[in-house]
Amino acid sequence: MSDSKVTFGFWVYLMTDCVLFASLFATYAVLHGNTFGGPPASELFSLPFVLIETLLLLTSSFTAGLALLAARRANKAQVITWLTITFLLGVAFLGMELNEFASLVHEGNSWQRSGFLSAFFTLVGTHGLHISVGLLWLMVLVAQIIRRGFTKSTVQRLAMFGLFWHFLDIVWIFIFTFVYLMGAI
Amino acid sequence: MERSAQTHNAGHGTVSSYATGFILSVLFTITPFMVVINHVMTGWMLTFTLIGFAISQLLVQLIFFLHLGRESKPRWNILVFLFAALVVLIVVVGSLWIMNNLDYHMGGHEMDSSIIKDEGIPQQ
Amino acid sequence: MNTAINLIAHVGHHHEPFDITAIIMPVMLVATVVVGIIAIILLTIFKRWGWAIGIGKYIWGNWLTSLDPKKIGVMYIIVAVLMLLRGVSDAVMIRAQQALSTGDSSGVLSPDTFQQVFSAHGTIMIFFAAMGLMFGLINLVVPLLIGARDVAFPFLNSVSFWLFAAGAVMFNIPLLVGDFPATGWLAYPPLSGIEYSPGVGVDFWIWTLQIAGVGSLLSGINFLVTIFKMRAPGMTMMKMPVFVWSVLGALVLIAFAFPILTATLAMLSLDRTMGMHFFTSDFGGNPMMYINLIWAWGHPEVYILILPAFGVFSEVVATFSRKRLFGYTSMVWAIWGIVFLSFLVWLHHFFTMGAGADVNAFFGIMTAVIAVPTGVKVFNWLFTMFRGRITLSTPMMWFLGFVATFTVGGMAGVLMSVPAIDFQVHNSLFLVAHFHTMIIGGVLFGLFAGLTYWFPKIFGFRLNERLGKYAFWCWIVGFLTAFIPLYILGFMGATRRLDHYDASMGWQGLFIVAGVGVAIICLGIFFQLLQLGYSIWKRRENADLTGDPWNGRTLEWSVSSPAPEYNFAVIPTVHARDQFWVSKQSSAKPVKPRYTDISVPKNTPMGMFIAAAAFVIGFAIIWHVWIAALVGLIALIVLIIIRSLDEDTEKIITAAEVERIETAFLARKKQGQLA
């Protein structure tokens, strides 16, 4: 399987994922005011918390890039190091997000409370699901690199993972801008 | 064969390009957060500023992390991206326009007075 | 099945209205079991188990586990035809009900069954019959048309097919257990929400479409990459056959519209299973957002269906007019005009729901405009025929039938693009007649033309022309007889989905005529099945020895019929449009080719297993058995990881073997040319 077909194919898949997220964003935009008497976004979200989350994910996107560069130089130790850091940052991001979800549910603002909250949990939750898939992928990838080193397929898969991980950070830009920042206004 | 080797080399960055992208992204992240937290501006100015930072960071990441535009011709990646962006815009803006209009015209009793005023409907 | 149980329980009490499915379902179930038992007895008595197992092994090894898109295409078509037959039975029941159910008669179906029948009819026809035939055709011929050996991602192709098949299986399960949705083919909330549809019908619908939908999306990506990246050397985009351009347009639509469906179905499912409030009528939900999103997908979907059919006509008309296609460049622009515009018209499906004049005006104008590129295409086909040497083969007849029906039905669409008119006929039988004209006269006739045209390339023999023409005439006469009354009834005020109407409406006569029409269509289907059986029986007389039975223009006719597994022994170099036609005109002696080893994908059952895991997940969620869903998910992940670790996925066809196959073809070709 040639390099450029897989890269292009994966890129097209990422574009379709953009449209999926767009549908969820559109729904959030339409429903964000439908709090059904509950607290609005400005009362529910903590911006400093989200800023830390954002920087964690952004840094993990950067370290993923560094892992890719190390792979070009076939430096196995560096690749595994950077990927591990990426993984830990990703887990930290996810942990913070789950924490936020848990406290919202705990105070009675679950996805069942209103259209607004359904849309919020689903949009942000879908991003979190993608992150989870990415972390699982990363684990399998690291295992493959440890066992088989840099074959054509492991290098290619690493590159695809990089695309996926960067894409998720880009989606997050729009989530923190339109959900959290605009929500706080 | 040659073409894929070209793609292979053209599609990757260097440490400095990733680092530049990272630093710019951090800047484009922290700034809007500070703008909102410190109530630097309000209204349409604020909205446009936030959108501006989001789009700027999008471009930074597309260029420095995803290396968009660096593959050899034909540049199908860019074409597919542009079409996706178009569909995203249509779905989001289109949905908002439609749903907004539906709310206005089909809103409950609380909407009646504004629609009566806008449409100039004579009242007894 | 539930109705059957109810009916038996209430025998003698006459509380339930008469429902024919309560009789048909148990009878069919019993018949199936009896036939199965008889088969087992016969196999045992005549000691033919070895033979039966041999057949099973052949089907498993040569078909079910194959990654050859030609085989996958045939399997798509088999599943699609079976689902088409199911959809037609639903149509027969609908026509029977509406022909009989007026005044005191309640027809042959209970109201609830009727709701399920038309919901199943629409769902099956669009997602399984039309999409299935379309993907089948695309698999069969696109690699051949672009001079490629395979698709970009052969394993993914297998996964796509099996997801499609899993969806088809899932949507047949309510025949045995559970219910069908009673919410129409698009299941609008709040009716489809958990409050008003508490049963499993809507959940079956959601998960069938999610599974099949992912299959479609993956196929869209797969063939998009195939067309962009795997064309034969020298085949620039503007040298591709127009069928490939139309498929490319459809694939772009698939890639960018299906994610909207996935998201929307997921949100409906979340409302139903996790108590969310996207589309509920309270708690801040907005049911109109569902309608908005589902049609943002739904409109591109209908263009996904029609574009490949248009593409078929471009190939068929040029071939059977012995003339190159008129206006190639304008055809390509028309396709992209249609693709772009199809994302800008979706509101015309709900003009009447109150978005107001500004919004309606914009979408109305866009809808009228989209008729223009379609018109360009029709004129180009007609101009191609002008001064051509026309052969009225069966595919050409399907094209002519299309021109007669689609253009008129399309004008009905332009009529409805005017919101003021649409307000009168929205959701009437006029609308129903319009879209059936588009889908039958356009999509189905196009796919029938394509299947007939490319049949010899895949199976090595031609279909019987005479029976094909009988089938065509039955279809077109039947279609007009069934749907012209519906256009009229729509103008008389008949709404869609009526299970009963007042005798004073004066509609029954027209409904009876429509019923006769569907019977004639059934005769047409009978002729098609007869044609298939007869042609198989006479396959040696109708064998396509030369590989070029129609004196064709494009690359697929340069290889043997059936095409070899690797398609091209030597990848062709392309210098012009219709390269094969150009090569045939030149008197240059063919150079003896140098054969090399060819690598093709190995068979694997993993695609089937992955789809089975997806099926388990969907089925478990439908019945709220969360543990099973989790098990299915883990199985899915494990299977994907196992496949990713498999390094041995290709097999070699040696140069010697290729030479043997090609030499045999050349001998047959010579024999065919002498005949």
Side-chain angles (χ1 to χ4, degrees):
Chain A
M1 213 183 283
S2 110
D3 193 54
S4 77
K5 272 194 301 205
V6 174
T7 310
F8 181 61
F10 196 76
W11 177 257
V12 175
Y13 151 68
L14 289 178
M15 293 301 102
T16 68
D17 228 0
C18 284
V19 177
L20 183 95
F21 275 107
S23 311
L24 297 176
F25 267 107
T27 307
Y28 179 81
V30 167
L31 294 180
H32 80 277
N34 294 19
T35 56
F36 201 61
S42 50
E43 285 174 33
L44 294 175
F45 306 142
S46 154
L47 286 189
F49 185 86
V50 176
L51 178 59
I52 297 173
E53 261 187 309
T54 306
L55 292 172
L56 283 172
L57 194 64
L58 179 55
T59 311
S60 79
S61 196
F62 176 55
T63 55
L66 295 176
L68 279 171
L69 289 176
R72 308 270 161 244
R73 299 188 307 265
N75 187 328
K76 202 169 176 184
Q78 266 199 18
V79 168
I80 296 179
T81 309
W82 287 122
L83 287 182
T84 308
I85 296 177
T86 305
F87 181 82
L88 292 171
L89 290 169
V91 169
F93 169 88
L94 206 59
M96 286 186 74
E97 186 159 279
L98 287 170
N99 183 289
E100 183 196 21
F101 281 8
S103 47
L104 280 171
V105 172
H106 185 70
E107 58 191 49
N109 291 313
S110 80
W111 50 82
Q112 298 185 342
R113 172 104 197 245
S114 63
F116 155 63
L117 283 163
S118 298
F120 167 76
F121 274 98
T122 303
L123 174 60
V124 181
T126 301
H127 178 267
L129 259 170
H130 278 76
I131 294 278
S132 310
V133 170
L135 292 173
L136 181 61
W137 184 357
L138 191 48
M139 283 196 288
V140 175
L141 200 49
V142 169
Q144 286 190 354
I145 291 175
I146 290 175
R147 289 200 57 191
R148 295 191 188 169
F150 296 116
T151 64
K152 185 163 172 266
S153 82
T154 48
V155 170
Q156 184 157 90
R157 287 168 189 178
L158 184 54
M160 296 308 103
F161 169 79
L163 284 183
F164 186 65
W165 203 248
H166 293 319
F167 161 78
L168 287 178
D169 193 48
I170 290 176
V171 173
W172 184 257
I173 299 173
F174 290 93
I175 293 182
F176 84 69
T177 304
F178 288 100
V179 174
Y180 292 104
L181 288 182
M182 304 260 207
I185 298 172
Chain B
M1 270 339 261
E2 240 172 62
R3 241 227 226 136
S4 69
Q6 241 184 310
T7 317
H8 204 83
N9 289 329
H12 312 300
T14 58
V15 179
S16 60
S17 75
Y18 272 108
T20 315
F22 178 57
I23 292 171
L24 282 173
S25 297
V26 171
L27 221 67
F28 289 158
T29 302
I30 295 187
T31 313
F33 267 92
M34 291 299 129
V35 164
V36 173
I37 289 177
N38 295 321
H39 305 290
V40 172
M41 49 181 105
T42 54
W44 284 110
M45 272 278 278
L46 179 58
T47 309
F48 278 125
T49 306
L50 293 178
I51 294 180
F53 275 111
I55 306 237
S56 305
Q57 199 184 146
L58 167 68
L59 291 171
V60 162
Q61 292 214 21
L62 280 174
I63 294 170
F64 289 98
F65 287 179
L66 286 173
H67 316 296
L68 192 65
R70 296 225 214 121
E71 78 267 15
S72 56
K73 288 198 176 14
R75 303 233 183 107
W76 297 126
N77 279 11
I78 299 191
L79 192 64
V80 169
F81 170 73
L82 287 173
F83 197 85
L86 186 65
V87 171
V88 165
L89 225 69
I90 290 173
V91 169
V92 174
V93 172
S95 296
L96 280 168
W97 187 45
I98 292 171
M99 297 309 291
N100 211 295
N101 270 271
L102 278 169
D103 260 347
Y104 175 77
H105 284 101
M106 304 296 288
H109 290 298
E110 69 274 9
M111 296 295 290
D112 284 355
S113 51
S114 45
I115 204 171
I116 287 171
K117 196 163 67 94
D118 290 342
E119 303 292 315
I121 298 171
Q123 297 279 280
Q124 258 81 348
Chain C
M1 271 321 275
N2 293 331
T3 324
I5 296 168
N6 275 332
L7 197 71
I8 295 168
H10 285 101
V11 151
H13 292 245
H14 302 293
H15 285 171
E16 304 287 328
F18 174 68
D19 192 306
I20 203 169
T21 60
I23 299 175
I24 296 178
M25 303 298 299
V27 164
M28 287 189 62
L29 185 63
V30 167
T32 310
V33 172
V34 164
V35 166
I37 292 176
I38 292 177
I40 293 174
I41 292 175
L42 287 176
L43 283 173
T44 314
I45 292 178
F46 292 106
K47 293 198 179 41
R48 291 284 228 219
W49 279 107
W51 169 82
I53 290 173
I55 292 184
K57 280 195 176 149
Y58 170 77
I59 293 178
W60 176 267
N62 285 58
W63 289 92
L64 302 184
T65 56
S66 172
L67 260 45
D68 180 351
K70 299 185 289 297
K71 296 249 163 86
I72 289 178
V74 170
M75 291 194 286
Y76 262 112
I77 290 169
I78 292 174
V79 174
V81 166
L82 289 172
M83 292 302 262
L84 177 69
L85 293 175
R86 231 202 96 182
V88 169
S89 339
D90 286 327
V92 167
M93 283 194 279
I94 294 171
R95 285 287 123 257
Q97 175 68 14
Q98 293 189 324
L100 296 170
S101 175
T102 183
D104 286 334
S105 166
S106 67
V108 294
L109 300 171
S110 71
D112 184 59
T113 304
F114 183 75
Q115 309 285 320
Q116 294 182 45
V117 168
F118 69 65
S119 304
H121 169 77
T123 307
I124 287 171
M125 288 304 211
I126 297 217
F127 289 96
F128 294 102
M131 294 288 277
L133 288 176
M134 183 192 84
F135 275 124
L137 201 59
I138 290 175
N139 267 281
L140 289 178
V141 296
V142 165
L144 283 165
L145 277 163
I146 61 173
R149 291 208 166 114
D150 206 330
V151 298
F153 309 113
F155 177 68
L156 202 65
N157 202 19
S158 172
V159 172
S160 284
F161 166 70
W162 283 109
L163 287 171
F164 168 78
V169 168
M170 181 162 293
F171 210 62
N172 279 294
I173 300 220
L175 291 171
L176 295 168
V177 61
D179 282 309
F180 287 100
T183 45
W185 78 280
L186 281 180
Y188 285 2
L191 179 62
S192 59
I194 195 71
E195 195 185 345
Y196 297 104
S197 287
V200 291
V202 175
D203 297 300
F204 264 105
W205 181 82
I206 289 173
W207 289 100
T208 297
L209 297 191
Q210 286 289 47
I211 292 172
V214 169
S216 296
L217 184 60
L218 293 175
S219 263
I221 298 174
N222 206 345
F223 281 94
L224 209 125
V225 178
T226 305
I227 293 174
F228 273 126
K229 295 281 186 180
M230 293 177 72
R231 283 163 286 132
M235 187 182 276
T236 60
M237 297 295 281
M238 290 305 273
K239 294 200 181 81
M240 296 195 306
V242 174
F243 178 72
V244 181
W245 273 115
S246 0
V247 168
L248 187 60
L251 296 169
V252 167
L253 288 175
I254 289 173
F256 293 113
F258 265 80
I260 303 175
L261 178 71
T262 309
T264 311
L265 292 176
M267 289 189 273
L268 183 64
S269 186
L270 287 168
D271 270 7
R272 289 178 60 83
T273 48
M274 290 188 55
M276 295 213 191
H277 292 288
F278 287 104
F279 311 125
T280 51
S281 44
D282 52 8
F283 280 85
N286 194 334
M288 277 307 301
M289 189 56 179
Y290 176 94
I291 292 168
N292 173 54
L293 286 175
I294 207 80
W295 280 115
W297 162 81
H299 194 84
E301 165 68 4
V302 306
Y303 283 96
I304 290 166
L305 294 178
I306 198 66
L307 278 174
F310 285 168
V312 169
F313 292 135
S314 293
E315 301 304 322
V316 162
V317 172
T319 301
F320 292 108
S321 305
R322 293 247 225 116
K323 206 164 150 256
R324 82 167 179 234
L325 184 69
F326 185 92
Y328 181 97
T329 308
S330 60
M331 281 302 214
V332 174
W333 280 108
I335 289 168
W336 293 106
I338 291 173
V339 168
F340 172 64
L341 286 169
S342 69
F343 276 106
L344 289 172
V345 299
W346 79 90
L347 185 121
H348 70 229
H349 298 275
F350 50 101
F351 276 140
T352 57
M353 292 182 92
D358 291 342
V359 172
N360 281 0
F362 172 77
F363 283 98
I365 293 172
M366 288 292 123
T367 306
V369 168
I370 203 173
V372 173
T374 308
V376 165
K377 297 180 85 69
V378 176
F379 279 118
N380 278 349
W381 293 316
L382 296 176
F383 290 152
T384 308
M385 287 177 73
F386 179 66
R387 296 239 186 117
R389 269 132 72 210
I390 298 178
T391 310
L392 287 178
S393 61
T394 308
M396 202 57 171
M397 298 300 288
W398 288 115
F399 167 70
L400 294 173
F402 154 85
V403 172
T405 53
F406 187 88
T407 43
V408 176
M411 286 192 251
V414 179
L415 194 67
M416 287 187 289
S417 76
V418 180
I421 297 180
D422 186 77
F423 269 61
Q424 300 294 315
V425 290
H426 174 68
N427 271 354
S428 70
L429 287 180
F430 186 82
L431 169 74
V432 171
H434 158 72
F435 66 67
H436 279 90
T437 311
M438 300 293 94
I439 300 184
I440 296 179
V443 180
L444 214 53
F445 282 16
L447 293 173
F448 287 160
L451 290 170
T452 312
Y453 179 60
W454 278 303
F455 187 92
K457 182 53 53 188
I458 302 304
F459 291 104
F461 58 95
R462 261 177 293 190
L463 287 167
N464 179 277
E465 276 287 306
R466 167 121 55 102
L467 290 172
K469 288 186 176 139
Y470 290 169
F472 162 73
W473 284 110
C474 288
W475 264 96
I476 190 159
V477 168
F479 164 76
L480 292 168
T481 313
F483 286 96
I484 290 179
L486 294 193
Y487 278 108
I488 300 172
L489 281 164
F491 275 156
M492 288 168 74
T495 40
R496 69 193 293 193
R497 300 173 174 168
L498 289 173
D499 68 280
H500 184 272
Y501 50 91
D502 227 70
S504 62
M505 304 308 295
W507 294 341
Q508 187 172 29
L510 287 167
F511 273 119
I512 291 175
V513 175
V516 171
V518 92
I520 300 175
I521 290 178
C522 287
L523 189 61
I525 294 177
F526 166 73
F527 276 121
Q528 284 171 307
L529 295 171
L530 187 63
Q531 179 196 37
L532 186 64
Y534 182 77
S535 307
I536 293 174
W537 185 37
K538 293 283 184 188
R539 63 188 182 280
R540 286 183 224 295
E541 286 101 274
N542 289 327
D544 172 21
L545 298 169
T546 63
D548 183 15
W550 312 117
N551 196 9
R553 312 178 69 86
T554 39
L555 288 176
E556 74 274 29
W557 308 112
S558 71
V559 302
S560 66
S561 293
E565 188 177 355
Y566 47 77
N567 290 354
F568 299 93
V570 176
I571 301 282
T573 308
V574 171
H575 304 290
R577 261 172 227 165
D578 291 348
Q579 176 63 53
F580 180 59
W581 180 262
V582 167
S583 306
K584 277 196 288 188
Q585 313 315 312
S586 113
S587 46
K589 273 200 80 94
V591 177
K592 181 174 197 293
R594 288 235 306 261
Y595 300 119
T596 54
D597 286 350
I598 299 179
S599 166
V600 293
K602 266 191 177 168
N603 285 21
T604 172
M606 287 300 263
M608 193 194 311
F609 296 161
I610 287 176
F615 178 90
V616 166
I617 295 172
F619 197 71
I621 296 180
I622 290 171
W623 296 103
H624 294 207
V625 184
W626 312 116
I627 297 289
L630 188 61
V631 168
L633 182 62
I634 293 173
L636 182 67
I637 294 171
V638 166
L639 286 166
I640 292 175
I641 293 176
I642 291 176
R643 171 68 189 185
S644 79
L645 295 172
D646 192 350
E647 304 266 278
D648 180 29
T649 55
E650 303 260 304
K651 66 176 192 244
I652 304 284
I653 302 180
T654 60
E657 178 67 8
V658 173
E659 175 151 17
R660 194 189 59 78
I661 296 172
E662 294 299 307
T663 311
F665 165 48
L666 287 168
R668 284 201 314 275
K669 191 165 165 179
K670 207 174 251 177
Q671 186 194 345
Q673 281 163 344
L674 292 171

